[in-house]
Every structure is written in C-alpha cells, then in structure tokens.
C-alpha cells in the first residue's frame, strides 16, 4: 500500500471537479493557455500578405496575419479605440489594412494605426503607441505558434524540448519535413469533454484493445495496453502483414524521403503541452490542435499532411484518413462518455491509474504545478 492507501499498482487521478468546475477552467485559461506557446494555424493558410485567421487563445481573441515583409504577425483582436473586435470572421484576406467596423480606426499589417476619422487633427496620437498590441509568434513545423505572455517562455525548451523528450532528438522529427508537407484533409471535431480528458486519452493505450479494433490490427503491440509515448524514442511497429497506415492495412502513399530506415513501418505519437498532438508515420503526418472552449467542450482541428505531389496529383488519401478519423471518433466518444461521470459524487475524489497509465500522473502533477505557480 502507498501513503494514499492505494495498492502499489495504482495511483490517484485528479478529482472530478478538475474537469467540471468553471473556476478551475478559468485558472487554466489564465495560467496555461495564456502563458504558454499555443499552436493556432497552418502557415500555408497565411500564404499572402493580408491573409488572416482569428483564434481564441484562453480568454482572448487573437488575430494572426502575414505582413508585407512576409513575416507572420499576431495581435490581440481588439481595436485600441473603444475595444470592438476588429475581425469577426474566422479567416479571410484584406488588401492593405484591418479596419474596425465600429469607428473605422484602421491598422496596417504591421499593426500600426494608419487612419481614423479626424486623425490628422490629433497629431499627439502616436501611430505605434495606439497600434494593435502584438503577441509573440513563431513558425515551426509549418505551423504558427503564439504566446500571450509578456515574457514568453523559451520556445526551444517548452515546444521543441517536448519533442526531444519524446523522440530523443529533434532530428527525428525534422526527417519528416513537416514544414513542406501539404494538407490533404482537415476535419474539425466538436468534443463535449474537458481538454484534459482528451490529452489523457491520447497519452495511454490501455483502452486501445477495447475501442480501437482497426488501430490494433495495424499496430498489434497497442493491444497490450502500452502507448507509443511510454518509451523515449520508441515507435510502435506495423504488423507483419500490414503494408501501410491505412484503415485496412493496405499500401499507403509515397514515403517521405527523409524518413530514416529505423523509422520506417513505425508510428510515433507526441504530446506538446498544452494542446498539440503529433502523429508520425512513413508516408504522412497527422497534426491535432485543441482549442478548449469551456470546461466541458473542446474543438479539435486535425490535419492529415502528405508530400505535395501526392495531393497535387489527386491521389486517393481516404484510406489513411479513415483510419485515424475512426480512431479520433472512437476516442472522442469515450471522452464524451467520461465527462458526465466527472460530476458524479462517486468521482468527487477522482479515480485511479494502472501501471500502463502512470505517466498520466506526471501530466496531472504538471497541471497542478501550473495552477499553483505565481503568475510572472
């Protein structure tokens, strides 16, 4: 028995209130989503200057765009005049500037205030001082990441470091050339479950034999309950008769040239806290981004990425898409089935984790540390 009174093979989870209490979710927004690097868009969505996307990060609406120098910029989506939301569309393109629909304050792609009614009669209004408020931004793996913190943490440590801690080195992911892959399919899921339930599900495979028959056919070791993330550098091996990472195990598409021989016929899963999952297989990459909306609702945006010529030639990607789409739907159904139980009096003190799930305990410790740490 441990000091908690549990058998040595079991450790406690977070209490049910961690998944149901709006105040706890508000703390997570403030102390996790608004202080860490948060992935918001595929860089190719911002192909030209003026292309933009708006994304909710924590409690804030963020406007991401490409400036005339082709750099990616991110701003709080709030007019500096009276606080109106500057862009209400989820995505679009402007020619030269963003104009507030309320009083027509207008901002260049570099965020500077460029025009407003009677602005010439107000020479004391600084164009930069009253420009849009910038947010830290980085591009990596062909995605745009933002951080709302005034003093952002190290991207190399907090984002790239997560990948290194999973794969053992950064070169292992660079071989997939994710920056230059093309989106072959995007599916957006509206999941009625707390974001932590989704992460916990992704981190373990104790459930795989129960709810993922197609996945365990392709990756037989998953039927034993140990997730690919459990071991540093380990990738789950395809079954002997399996030709590709497809719904029926049939041959996949063109292999990504940089993938090393020891990475071939293997699946790697990576969690980049707080909201990214990366799945690597020889011929494509599956990239998930979570957008926690409320304590019991999470939007998940999932991209299937392939070599550009695979998409341009019109090759059929449906069998590879269908495999993980089924996995996603099976997982999200399980999370939605779990969410109501978090409110049960029986779960007030939480549940337990078996040995193949013990690494989830480290995730719970991390959440508690983030919520308990003073804001900088």
């Amino acid at each position: 028995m441990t000091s908690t009174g549990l058998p040595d093979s079991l450790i406690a989870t977070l209490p049910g209130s961690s998944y149901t209490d709006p105040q706890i979710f508000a703390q997570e927004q403030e102390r996790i989503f608004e202080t860490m690097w948060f992935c918001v868009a595929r860089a190719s969505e911002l192909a030209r200057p003026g292309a933009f996307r708006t994304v909710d990060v924590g409690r804030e609406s963020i406007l991401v765009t490409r400036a005339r120098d082709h750099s990616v910029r991110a701003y709080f989506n709030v007019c500096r005049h009276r606080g109106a939301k500057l862009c209400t569309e989820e995505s679009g393109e402007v020619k030269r500037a963003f104009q507030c629909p309320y009083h027509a304050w207008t901002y260049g792609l570099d965020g500077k205030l460029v025009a407003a009614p009677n602005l010439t009669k107000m020479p004391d209004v600084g164009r930069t001082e009253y420009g849009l408020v910038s947010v830290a931004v980085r591009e990596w793996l062909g995605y745009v990441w933002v951080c709302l913190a005034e003093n952002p943490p190290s991207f190399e440590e907090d984002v790239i470091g997560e990948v290194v801690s999973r794969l053992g080195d950064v070169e292992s992911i660079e071989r997939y050339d994710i920056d230059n892959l093309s989106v072959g399919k995007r599916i957006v899921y509206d999941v009625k479950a707390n974001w932590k339930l989704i992460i916990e599900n992704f981190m373990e495979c104790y459930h795989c034999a129960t709810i993922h028959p197609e996945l365990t056919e392709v990756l037989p070791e998953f039927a034993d309950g140990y997730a690919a993330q459990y071991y540093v550098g380990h990738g789950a091996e395809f079954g002997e008769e399996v030709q590709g990472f497809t719904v029926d195990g049939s041959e996949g598409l063109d292999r990504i040239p940089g993938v090393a021989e020891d990475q071939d016929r293997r699946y790697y899963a990576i969690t980049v806290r707080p909201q990214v999952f990366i799945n690597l297989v020889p011929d494509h990459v599956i990239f998930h981004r979570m957008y926690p909306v409320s304590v019991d609702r999470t939007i998940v945006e999932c991209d299937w990425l392939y070599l550009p010529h695979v998409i341009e030639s019109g090759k059929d990607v449906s069998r590879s898409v269908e495999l993980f789409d089924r996995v996603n739907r099976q997982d999200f159904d399980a999370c939605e089935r779990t969410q109501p139980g978090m409110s049960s009096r029986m779960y007030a003190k939480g549940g337990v984790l078996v040995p193949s799930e013990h690494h989830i305990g480290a995730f719970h410790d991390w959440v508690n540390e983030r919520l308990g740490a003073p804001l900088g």
Side-chain angles (χ1 to χ4, degrees):
M1 287 284 189
T2 65
S3 59
T4 62
L6 294 172
D8 291 339
S9 59
L10 301 178
I11 62 176
T13 69
L14 294 170
S17 59
S18 292
Y19 306 88
T20 62
D21 188 336
Q23 291 185 324
I24 291 176
F25 181 70
Q27 288 182 315
E28 291 168 346
Q29 288 180 304
E30 181 182 23
R31 295 174 177 268
I32 297 178
F33 311 131
E34 295 175 14
T35 62
M36 298 185 68
W37 288 98
F38 197 97
C39 189
V40 294
R42 183 73 178 161
S44 59
E45 296 177 77
L46 308 172
R48 296 181 296 276
F52 70 87
R53 181 166 181 182
T54 58
V55 181
D56 289 338
V57 180
R59 300 161 299 179
E60 299 285 356
S61 176
I62 301 301
L63 170 62
V64 187
T65 190
R66 195 170 293 279
R68 295 202 174 281
D69 62 3
H70 291 276
S71 64
V72 175
R73 306 290 182 94
Y75 310 102
F76 285 93
N77 188 20
V78 179
C79 180
R80 296 299 307 282
H81 173 220
R82 297 269 297 282
K85 180 176 279 192
L86 192 61
C87 288
T88 56
E89 302 87 355
E90 289 186 4
S91 62
E93 188 170 326
V94 296
K95 289 185 177 180
R96 298 184 181 83
F98 296 99
Q99 186 175 83
C100 178
Y102 193 4
H103 296 96
W105 279 40
T106 305
Y107 305 88
L109 302 180
D110 60 1
K112 291 182 180 178
L113 177 65
V114 295
N118 304 317
L119 183 60
T120 55
K121 299 178 180 178
M122 299 178 280
D124 56 334
V125 176
R127 303 298 180 100
T128 300
E129 182 184 359
Y130 285 91
L132 297 176
V133 176
S134 297
V135 171
V137 63
R138 287 285 297 267
E139 285 188 72
W140 190 56
L141 302 180
Y143 283 87
V144 177
W145 310 66
V146 302
C147 183
L148 276 55
E150 288 188 24
N151 299 298
S154 166
F155 188 88
E156 285 68 26
E157 292 179 12
D158 281 20
V159 177
I160 299 175
E162 288 264 65
V163 174
V164 171
S165 67
R166 166 68 188 95
L167 298 180
D169 54 57
V170 73
E171 290 77 20
S172 292
I173 198 169
E174 289 176 343
R175 296 188 189 111
Y176 291 83
D177 195 25
I178 300 175
D179 301 60
N180 295 311
L181 299 182
S182 296
V183 178
K185 181 72 172 180
R186 170 173 292 172
I187 299 178
V188 179
Y189 306 88
D190 192 336
V191 188
K192 296 175 179 61
N194 184 272
W195 68 282
K196 296 188 295 299
L197 290 178
I198 298 173
I199 286 190
E200 292 161 13
N201 173 278
F202 187 74
M203 291 179 71
E204 55 93 356
C205 213
Y206 191 46
H207 67 276
C208 287
T210 308
I211 71 170
H212 294 320
E214 299 88 357
L215 185 64
T216 52
E217 280 290 321
V218 175
L219 305 173
E221 68 184 73
F222 272 19
D224 295 330
Y226 283 92
Q229 298 189 74
Y230 196 74
Y231 308 101
V232 174
H234 176 72
E237 192 170 3
F238 293 5
E240 287 186 13
E241 304 299 320
V242 170
Q243 295 179 284
F245 198 72
T246 57
V247 70
D248 54 4
S250 57
E251 187 177 358
L253 297 151
D254 294 359
R255 175 177 159 183
I256 298 167
V259 172
E261 188 174 337
D262 62 355
Q263 294 174 307
D264 194 20
R265 293 182 56 78
R266 288 187 179 272
Y267 161 84
Y268 298 86
I270 308 161
T271 301
V272 181
R273 295 172 296 188
Q275 47 86 245
V276 168
F277 306 143
I278 307 171
N279 310 272
L280 308 171
V281 291
D283 64 330
H284 64 282
V285 171
I286 308 160
F287 201 103
H288 296 71
R289 296 180 303 291
M290 291 195 308
Y291 300 96
V293 176
S294 65
V295 71
D296 58 359
R297 182 178 173 223
T298 309
I299 300 297
V300 183
E301 197 169 79
C302 184
D303 291 342
W304 280 260
L305 307 168
Y306 302 85
L307 290 169
H309 75 262
V310 168
I311 304 306
E312 291 163 6
S313 64
K315 288 187 178 181
D316 183 9
V317 301
S318 62
R319 284 176 294 115
S320 57
V321 170
E322 186 176 352
L323 174 57
F324 225 86
D325 181 40
R326 288 194 191 184
V327 171
N328 283 338
R329 294 180 191 280
Q330 291 157 353
D331 280 337
F332 299 152
D333 179 66
C335 292
E336 290 184 341
R337 190 182 303 118
T338 302
Q339 181 66 39
M342 300 297 97
S343 300
S344 170
R345 69 183 72 179
M346 188 283 298
Y347 207 80
K349 294 182 180 179
V352 294
L353 300 169
V354 302
S356 62
E357 304 170 308
H358 279 188
H359 55 297
I360 295 175
F363 169 64
H364 293 165
D365 291 341
W366 172 82
V367 170
N368 285 330
E369 288 168 7
R370 298 291 308 192
L371 298 190
L375 289 170

